[in-house]
Amino acid sequence: MREYDSFYIGGTWVRPSGETPPIAVISPTDEQSFSTVPSAGPADVDRAVAAARGALTAPEWAGLTAEHRAALLERLADELQKNLADRAALTTRQNGMPIAVATFAEGSGPVGLLRYYAALARTIAFEELRPRADGLGDTLVRRQPVGVVAAIVPWNFPQALTMAKVAPALAAGCTVVLKPAPETSLDAFELAAAAERAGLPAGVLNVVTGGVDAGEHLVAHPGVDKVAFTGSTAAGRRIGEVCGRLLRPVTLELGGKSAAIVLDDADLADTITGLATGSLLNNGQTCYLSTRILAPHSRYREVVDAVAGLANALTVGDPMDPATHVGPLVSRRQRDRVESYIAAGKASGARVAAGGGRPDREQGWFVQPTVFADSDNTSVIAREEIFGPVLTVIPYGDIDEAVAIANDSEYGLGGTIWTSDPEKGVELARRVETGSIGVNFYNLDIGAPFGGVKASGLGREFGPEGLNAYVELKSIYLSPRGTAR
């Protein structure tokens, strides 16, 4: 595996300015380091922002039409398509994502996002002439790039979440400084190499790798015009505070503790099939997962047994094996965190219906898919985001109580309704306080807005709304013909 010793800044590969030791990239499957990436200091971040700032107004980028930007996005998509399988495997090796998931989410996902926003750039009106409300002439409403974007992405879906920011930002005419998570930085350099091959103008996309210090310096940098962040709610609050003080636009896609409401008429076999991905996708390391399973008293034991059966049936193992459903957690620290919640669940008196420990493996940061029963919505395992394969099945009496339990959370990102009556499911979905919810199904739609309410974030990604986050509106008032104003 290649070891990277340079950042991608201003269209060239640039060595770090300081002597900070490189960051080891460690496989969660065998706990061995297999590559390194450089660690950025303030001077490296400064240089990346300066490159993005210069490219923003350079004719090679600022002078392009939306059609030309769209063509560049499609060329970048073509480059990423060529090594789709290798990129998917790279994510799996870095974070333990099952390869079957990585192939579509990390391999195909970024390509699809680039093509979607390329098409949108061709159809959206970046300038619109509107008649004035007073009838005295027209106003030209212009949608122009917000400027230099600091894109900070997590380790759970690194390539997909990177492109959820980069694709609309570039479609809008912005320039980007990308800082990936230390655990999954290799794919960001693969993106930089693809951008170089695609002929993206120098400075339009810049990549710096590093830890928290580099991210904090980037977020507060005076040369940055907007921040786009996906990660924990705690980190998002800190970023939001900085951006609020600076009056800087920010998009925050944060944590979740979503609820799956199983109605008394639900087909349990179909429900369990849906929960396999709706509640446990990517080893439970997915922000929108329905990790609180709400079941009616009348079917509670049946639902517990079915969810426990699902957990016990999942294949835990090598994430590079296409038959694996659950791979390792991303790091030792993350496994320790998840195991601390499992211990807290046991201490609270909740019953372990499935899992609760580690699988029989000599290496790797694995945790058994775990299901808790006989708990309620006040327990720590029901209230805090665990970010691992841990589910809690909670009983409810009637529909109103189910909605109250679902809404009794500081989060509001995802959720699901399971019922044999889709119309009733949609009616119930309207009552849940969340940014997205599925009825008998949950799968992101890149053509529709995604984001959270409450502590799950600010703003939206995907869809036309995702591009709107990277434009500013300017009104140009035009004098009526023949009249001085």
Side-chain angles (χ1 to χ4, degrees), residues 183-252:
E183 296 87 349
T184 52
S185 290
L186 298 176
D187 49 87
F189 287 126
E190 290 298 312
L191 171 61
E196 191 174 38
R197 295 192 301 271
L200 209 63
V204 171
L205 175 66
N206 308 275
V207 178
V208 291
T209 49
V212 173
D213 290 346
E216 290 179 345
H217 188 68
L218 178 60
V219 166
H221 200 286
V224 167
D225 298 299
K226 176 188 168 62
V227 175
F229 171 79
T230 299
S232 72
T233 294
R237 290 187 195 277
R238 293 194 296 272
I239 291 172
E241 289 174 1
V242 172
C243 291
R245 174 172 50 82
L246 297 172
L247 298 180
R248 177 169 295 167
V250 61
T251 300
L252 301 172

Side-chain angles (χ1 to χ4, degrees), residues 152-170:
I152 302 177
V153 298
W155 44 257
N156 59 329
F157 287 88
Q159 296 185 56
L161 293 174
T162 290
M163 203 53 69
K165 297 160 181 57
V166 169
L170 299 188

Side-chain angles (χ1 to χ4, degrees), residues 70-84:
L72 279 172
L73 292 185
E74 289 183 336
R75 279 158 56 181
L76 179 54
D78 291 342
E79 290 299 326
L80 292 177
Q81 180 73 37
K82 293 175 183 177
N83 64 347
L84 187 154

Side-chain angles (χ1 to χ4, degrees), residues 237-280:
R237 290 187 195 277
R238 293 194 296 272
I239 291 172
E241 289 174 1
V242 172
C243 291
R245 174 172 50 82
L246 297 172
L247 298 180
R248 177 169 295 167
V250 61
T251 300
L252 301 172
E253 198 271 281
L254 307 177
K257 193 68 179 178
S258 304
I261 302 178
V262 182
L263 300 188
D264 57 7
D265 66 351
D267 182 307
L268 200 51
D270 289 345
T271 299
I272 294 303
T273 298
L275 291 179
T277 54
S279 296
L280 291 165

